[in-house]
Amino acid sequence: MILLKITGYKPERILKKLTDINIYYIKTNKDYIIIKIREKDLKKIEKRKTIYKLEILSNNNIKYKIKKLNKIYISGILFSILVAIFFSNLILNINIITDDNNLKNKVLKELNNNGIKTYFFKKNNNEIETIEKKIKEKLKNNIEWINIENIGTKIIVKLQEKKIKTKQEEIKPRNIIAAKNAVIKLIDCQNGEIIVTKESYVKKGDLIISGIVGENKVAAKGEIYGEVWYKLKIDYPYFFEVDEKTNNKKYNIYISFLNKNITLFNNFKQSNIKEKLKIDLFPLTIKIVEENQIVKGNTFLTPTEAIIKAKEEGRKKILGQLNDNEYIIHEKQLKQNLNDSKIELEMFYTVYENITEYEQIKE
């Protein structure tokens, strides 16, 4: 039903012509009447309204409500887009990438002098190129080059500082000694006299390359690689909790605006999130994501599986302390102990490792 207000001189006259519709009087007045009619009868009144003014006060029809709501949503979306476009052209943050605070302040001052400052509108590419040249010329004693980028509402300034060349510090005479007990596998001598040979066993502190060559004292230079040994104890449980992905999926919408994040629907307590669609209207970002619920599950290992996992864990610990040119030559299980909750292993590792260490030659 529609609640309709008819305004004009003796408005009841228009209704006398409509004898075929049901009319429910709500309120009457000499200048207007308020009536309740059916949706289909509204057009009949509109055709005969002549000098009278019609005003719909309310409408319970779903289509009418949807149409009204659509207008509100469309207006809201258009307003949001205008706001987003406005803010996307503002500078909200300036990030100058350098550890030199003094230089950072100098660059920031020059940016401000050239109209690049927070809450001001961004410059176009031609303007930025001109500003870069001005700043490089102004700070030519401090920087080699400068690059200014517009990234969303941020200004990112990258620069290369001008380094003042300093005289290289002279290396004092020194020896190269063994950093660990090892069997020598490689001697890369670039300066000095080799004292031991390949495949020799050395103890920590033993001299390998001497900095005393004849009557001269030099700075020994080179790298020594040897075979070194480690024992490692590893405990690994039979039972532990793991995150398990379920088939329970849903889609969600994330909205980010000026460092504020809004989620339109309830999240899973724990989930794996995949981004399906991303719309950037800086500073507004809209993401449509697929959430796959994750629940806590229990994993039980057999003793054999636990041993495999323990060995993998031990190998990771050894490799984690090695550099690029270093590696595990061999590994061997020494001891094994099984109890109710975990397995205990003792492993032996042979490792190819850099054992170079320097020792100053005393005067």
Side-chain angles (χ1 to χ4, degrees), residues 176-180 208 222-225 353-358:
I176 293 179
I177 61 174
K180 298 177 181 181
I208 300 175
E223 285 189 326
I224 314 300
Y225 283 85
E353 190 173 333
N354 190 325
I355 60 167
T356 307
E357 189 173 303
Y358 296 104

Side-chain angles (χ1 to χ4, degrees), residues 192-218:
E193 184 178 346
I194 299 173
I195 303 300
V196 299
T197 60
K198 188 178 175 183
E199 299 299 332
S200 298
Y201 173 75
V202 294
K203 294 182 179 180
K204 180 179 179 180
D206 283 356
L207 181 63
I208 300 175
I209 300 177
S210 175
I212 299 175
V213 182
E215 296 181 356
N216 298 320
K217 293 180 180 179
V218 299

Side-chain angles (χ1 to χ4, degrees), residues 241-244 246 270 294-298:
E241 284 189 342
V242 294
D243 291 335
E244 293 182 351
T246 69
Q270 194 174 4
I294 292 175
V295 297
K296 290 290 183 183
N298 299 323

Side-chain angles (χ1 to χ4, degrees), residues 97-209:
I97 303 174
T98 177
D99 294 327
D100 188 335
N101 289 328
N102 186 40
L103 180 57
K104 185 180 289 188
N105 291 332
K106 287 182 180 179
V107 173
L108 183 61
K109 182 180 177 181
E110 293 304 317
L111 290 171
N112 290 342
N113 290 340
N114 286 278
I116 297 179
K117 56 178 72 176
T118 52
Y119 306 112
F120 275 56
F121 285 106
K122 295 186 294 187
K123 303 290 184 180
N124 61 40
N125 291 335
N126 291 333
E127 290 172 321
I128 285 177
E129 193 174 328
T130 301
I131 292 169
E132 286 174 345
K133 290 178 182 177
K134 285 183 181 179
I135 295 176
K136 185 179 176 183
E137 178 62 29
K138 186 74 178 287
L139 301 178
K140 61 184 178 181
N141 294 328
N142 302 99
I143 59 175
E144 295 284 352
W145 57 265
I146 185 170
N147 176 252
I148 302 170
E149 290 183 87
N150 282 324
I151 301 179
T153 57
K154 286 184 179 181
I155 295 292
I156 306 295
V157 182
K158 299 176 184 177
L159 53 87
Q160 176 65 55
E161 299 175 36
K162 184 168 283 188
K163 300 292 183 182
I164 300 172
K165 294 183 180 179
T166 58
K167 190 175 181 180
Q168 189 173 1
E169 184 182 352
E170 185 179 352
I171 301 175
K172 294 180 180 180
R174 65 186 184 182
N175 298 320
I176 293 179
I177 61 174
K180 298 177 181 181
N181 297 348
V183 172
I184 301 298
K185 292 296 181 182
L186 174 68
I187 301 175
D188 179 14
C189 180
Q190 299 170 32
N191 196 23
E193 184 178 346
I194 299 173
I195 303 300
V196 299
T197 60
K198 188 178 175 183
E199 299 299 332
S200 298
Y201 173 75
V202 294
K203 294 182 179 180
K204 180 179 179 180
D206 283 356
L207 181 63
I208 300 175
I209 300 177

Side-chain angles (χ1 to χ4, degrees), residues 26-62:
I26 304 298
K27 188 175 180 181
T28 62
N29 187 289
K30 65 177 181 178
D31 296 322
Y32 70 85
I33 59 172
I34 297 176
I35 58 174
K36 189 180 284 188
I37 60 172
R38 294 171 299 185
E39 173 80 16
K40 65 179 183 179
D41 295 325
L42 178 61
K43 290 184 179 179
K44 294 180 181 180
I45 295 178
E46 286 178 337
K47 288 180 181 179
R48 294 167 174 79
K49 71 173 185 176
T50 59
I51 61 172
Y52 298 97
K53 181 182 176 182
L54 305 181
E55 181 183 356
I56 298 174
L57 300 179
S58 69
N59 191 336
N60 292 327
N61 184 271
I62 293 176

Side-chain angles (χ1 to χ4, degrees), residues 60-72:
N60 292 327
N61 184 271
I62 293 176
K63 290 182 180 179
Y64 177 82
K65 288 185 175 181
I66 291 173
K67 187 177 180 181
K68 190 174 181 180
L69 284 173
N70 283 341
K71 288 181 180 179
I72 295 171

Side-chain angles (χ1 to χ4, degrees), residues 229-235 310-319 321 328 332-335 344-349:
W229 311 276
Y230 295 96
K231 279 184 181 180
L232 186 63
K233 289 184 178 180
I234 309 144
D235 296 341
K311 287 182 177 180
E312 289 175 357
E313 190 72 21
R315 199 176 297 113
K316 284 180 184 177
K317 286 183 180 179
I318 295 295
L319 292 174
Q321 65 189 34
I328 296 172
K332 182 180 180 181
Q333 181 181 321
L334 299 179
K335 293 181 182 179
E344 298 172 349
L345 289 186
E346 186 174 300
M347 297 293 297
F348 178 81
Y349 299 93

